[in-house]
Amino acid sequence: MPAGATSCPPGGFTLQWNLSRGVTMGWTTIKQIFSDHEQLLNQVLEVRGWIRTQRESKNFAFIELNDGSCFKNLQVIYSDTLANFNEAVKYPLGSALKITGTLVASPAAGQPFELQAEKIEVIGLSALDYPLQKKRHSFEFLRTIPHLRPRTNTFMAVFRVRSLLAYAIHSFFHERGFVYVHTPIITGSDCEGAGQMFRVTTLDLKNPPRRQDSEIDFNQDFFGKETNLTVSGQLNVEGFCLAFNRVYTFGPTFRAENSNTQRHASEFWMIEPEIAFADLGDNMQLAEDMLKYIIRFILEQAPQEMEFFNRFINTSLLQRLQRVLDAKFEHITYTRAIELLQKADSVFTFPPQWGSDLQTEHERYLSEKVFQKPVFVTDYPKEIKAFYMRLNDDGRTVAAMDLLVPDVGEIIGGSQREERHGVLKQRITEMGLKTEDYEWYLNLRKFGGVPHAGFGLGFERSVMYLTGMENIRDVIPYPRTPKNAEF
RNA sequence: UCCUCAGUAGCUCAAUCGGUAGAGCAGAUGGCUGUUAACCAUAAGGUUGGGGGUUCAAGUCCCUCCUGAGGAGCCA
């Protein structure tokens, strides 16, 4: 739960941090004022930040200043005894100021203390057509100004949580001995599985070199072959898993699918852990531990932001997250899930049927109606899953798992990998793929292969789940979606 | 990519059956001694997304394109 109203918890920078780097910056952060206001009371301080809002009367005025160090604003009061009072009341919203004044107890309700300004200097004036106003803006409008929206409460909270969440993920894995592997962004193989890829080329698109048969001659391209942006680091990281035992990737991923939904972006980040000497059960335990760890981490490190989300974005957010922390995640096989869905009272647009993939409406029913908490669905028919997933003894299902969470849907997808050389080779052929494209991958089974497993976690979907934000475009600084790569 | 809805002042929205395009906020000017999205007053602010059509008359009806949102598929 959030600390008292006067604290500004971890997540911003501090003067101590500056001093430890041998830099005396000479001004005080708002974060520090909120945490040390009792000692700082009646002292003269300098602050630097941007005007969030300003209210003026005839002889005095208030500025709410935000310096990015913490979620809260500092109320600054100044009177017409200031030499530049008449100019100051006209400084537009968004202007950057350097203010010197005394920290005093506030006589009015709403804030325990305020800065009594003695000097207000402009560092950078804002123009009169500053798009952000003293009112609520729609997310759609703010998406048109992604370079300015981090100056709003919601987006300042979102992107601080996003930053902390990345830290939480590294922290979780490093505490458990995982090695962080940077798999390539540019990939030379198109064997990473389904998903349209973005071509990477230096060829002249207006006049590409042709072979005898008039096909484009990629031998003359930069890498001497066709290359694309990666859609997953999994296959690559498996090699490192069989050396380091516990590894993970965390980096950008690119999908050229023409997806227009709240949950899809063309460029997004993915976390892919891979563990050796492990089966599907170990894999699911890791996923559950990780999800709970990052929730706990964010609740502790960003209480003000989380309180804000709970008030203005989704009023059941904190309750929902607390329930996840308290719950033991549910486990259910695909076959059982189909049975449950077929017996359900709800009428589905697509009747559930063994052999077909679960529809969004089915997933929502399971996580939101039946269990009302995260649920792992396991052991899918082999035909609807990737070739590298381990074939179960029944010969018709594979050791796959999807984690479905209420409101967001599929947040994690993973599997135990097929470690048996012969079975894997046969699966590649069955799926209509060419074994020669997977020689190096098959080699991992030839040279000391062991049972191993892993999963992929959509980073943005995690941010959405933790903040209650409903559109992926609002948790990415500069989102890329079909027909949108501005800025 | 498919389905549905939407696009009117800088922003958020209104405009009845097709009949002179309005309000709040922001911005401007003036007022106000403790404000919290401050408040009060005044003036200003428009090629109704682009193009074409029907009509005496189109923000409104038709066609088309563009853009956005929601849903579906694909997935993370």
Side-chain angles (χ1 to χ4, degrees):
Chain A
M1 275 292 112
T6 56
S7 75
C8 197
F13 48 86
T14 66
L15 192 59
Q16 283 75 20
W17 180 85
N18 297 323
L19 291 171
S20 75
R21 302 287 298 268
V23 181
T24 305
M25 295 174 88
W27 73 86
T28 310
T29 64
I30 292 172
K31 172 188 165 63
Q32 195 186 7
I33 292 174
F34 272 93
S35 61
D36 300 337
H37 60 97
E38 284 170 13
Q39 296 94 298
L40 294 174
L41 211 60
N42 301 318
Q43 291 192 29
V44 175
L45 306 173
E46 182 190 312
V47 294
R48 298 184 183 192
W50 293 268
I51 301 175
R52 271 293 177 80
T53 175
Q54 165 140 241
R55 299 176 283 274
E56 89 260 15
S57 285
K58 187 182 185 185
N59 305 113
F60 61 93
F62 297 95
I63 288 173
E64 291 213 23
L65 198 76
N66 190 288
D67 69 356
S69 65
C70 81
F71 184 63
K72 293 200 159 188
N73 302 324
L74 175 69
Q75 174 161 295
V76 176
I77 179 166
Y78 62 103
S79 71
D80 58 0
T81 55
L82 275 193
N84 58 341
F85 178 83
N86 288 324
E87 293 78 53
V89 296
K90 291 195 183 339
Y91 294 155
L93 303 194
S95 297
L97 303 179
K98 176 167 121 180
I99 301 176
T100 309
T102 309
L103 193 72
V104 298
S106 178
Q111 60 287 316
F113 51 83
E114 63 195 15
L115 194 71
Q116 186 94 46
E118 280 135 36
K119 194 174 179 190
I120 297 181
E121 295 170 72
V122 173
I123 295 179
L125 216 53
S126 184
L128 287 177
D129 56 352
Y130 186 60
L132 298 174
Q133 301 168 12
K134 290 193 266 189
K135 56 168 275 191
R136 198 186 144 75
H137 289 286
S138 67
F139 290 149
E140 287 90 336
F141 170 67
L142 292 170
R143 274 172 219 151
T144 68
I145 48 168
H147 57 308
L148 296 175
R149 65 180 181 169
R151 303 182 188 196
T152 65
N153 286 334
T154 299
F155 288 94
M156 179 160 276
V158 165
F159 292 117
R160 196 185 307 281
V161 166
R162 184 180 167 116
S163 164
L164 283 167
L165 187 57
Y167 179 38
I169 283 159
H170 286 303
S171 171
F172 173 82
F173 285 120
H174 280 263
E175 282 176 17
R176 283 157 185 75
F178 282 67
V179 168
Y180 177 31
V181 181
H182 294 125
T183 49
I185 306 292
I186 298 173
T187 175
S189 65
D190 58 358
C191 52
E192 293 184 351
Q196 286 290 310
M197 300 172 96
F198 288 100
R199 170 67 47 82
V200 175
T201 182
T202 55
L203 293 179
D204 179 6
L205 292 179
K206 286 181 191 133
N207 186 24
R210 302 278 178 181
R211 299 185 312 203
Q212 297 267 318
D213 59 5
S214 84
E215 292 291 306
I216 293 173
D217 184 7
F218 286 102
N219 287 327
Q220 296 188 42
D221 203 349
F222 187 87
F223 293 106
K225 61 184 298 194
E226 293 184 47
T227 49
N228 294 289
L229 294 179
T230 184
V231 295
S232 164
Q234 182 208 312
L235 266 48
N236 285 307
V237 89
E238 281 189 46
F240 278 68
C241 175
L242 296 184
F244 286 104
N245 187 327
R246 298 176 149 210
V247 296
Y248 70 105
T249 71
F250 183 9
T253 323
F254 307 88
R255 304 269 167 100
E257 298 288 351
N258 192 5
S259 294
N260 292 288
T261 79
Q262 295 174 303
R263 296 187 188 76
H264 291 86
S266 311
E267 177 181 311
F268 64 99
W269 285 54
M270 195 154 59
I271 299 116
E272 296 173 291
E274 194 75 26
I275 49 179
F277 308 103
D279 62 16
L280 192 67
D282 301 320
N283 201 23
M284 290 189 283
Q285 190 60 52
L286 179 69
E288 181 170 343
D289 289 350
M290 182 194 67
L291 211 55
K292 287 178 174 173
Y293 180 97
I294 61 178
I295 291 171
R296 213 172 284 122
F297 190 100
I298 297 300
L299 288 175
E300 276 171 22
Q301 298 286 311
Q304 290 181 348
E305 283 82 357
M306 295 307 287
E307 184 67 25
F308 174 85
F309 292 129
N310 197 57
R311 257 182 87 189
F312 294 107
I313 305 296
N314 181 337
T315 52
S316 56
L317 177 68
L318 291 178
Q319 188 189 26
R320 179 177 85 187
L321 294 176
Q322 192 56 50
R323 287 192 55 175
V324 173
L325 288 181
D326 296 339
K328 178 89 187 88
F329 290 11
E330 204 63 47
H331 295 254
I332 184 176
T333 64
Y334 166 87
T335 303
R336 178 83 186 118
I338 293 291
E339 285 169 16
L340 278 176
L341 290 164
Q342 285 172 340
K343 277 188 241 159
D345 299 331
S346 302
V347 179
F348 297 113
T349 312
F350 297 90
Q353 191 188 352
W354 204 96
S356 303
D357 214 347
L358 296 179
Q359 303 286 317
T360 300
E361 57 179 344
H362 303 150
E363 296 182 347
R364 292 187 74 114
Y365 180 82
L366 291 172
S367 63
E368 291 167 22
K369 296 272 167 55
V370 181
F371 298 111
Q372 299 180 331
K373 62 178 175 179
V375 52
F376 287 107
V377 180
T378 63
D379 303 298
Y380 285 79
K382 63 178 179 180
E383 288 78 12
I384 59 174
K385 287 293 180 183
F387 71 90
Y388 51 74
M389 297 187 177
R390 191 181 195 278
L391 190 65
N392 286 327
D393 292 343
D394 62 14
R396 58 203 294 251
T397 61
V398 289
M401 62 94 160
D402 283 355
L403 180 63
L404 313 179
V405 295
D407 303 319
V408 170
E410 185 185 336
I411 198 170
I412 284 175
S415 70
Q416 184 174 339
R417 318 306 188 190
E418 183 56 75
E419 85 281 9
R420 296 163 295 188
H421 189 278
V423 180
L424 181 60
K425 197 165 179 179
Q426 192 188 334
R427 290 282 295 135
I428 290 172
T429 312
E430 271 175 23
M431 300 294 268
L433 304 167
K434 288 182 285 186
T435 51
E436 55 264 35
D437 288 343
Y438 299 90
E439 239 7 277
W440 70 271
Y441 188 68
L442 281 161
N443 270 349
L444 294 173
R445 279 71 182 164
K446 184 176 164 192
F447 303 124
V450 301
H452 61 291
F455 61 82
L457 168 75
F459 182 57
E460 282 78 11
R461 289 188 185 174
S462 316
V463 178
M464 291 165 74
Y465 193 58
L466 278 158
T467 59
M469 297 295 286
E470 290 182 346
N471 195 310
I472 198 167
R473 288 163 264 213
D474 295 329
V475 300
I476 298 175
Y478 296 90
R480 272 79 177 93
T481 51
K483 299 259 190 275
N484 182 13
E486 292 299 307
F487 306 93

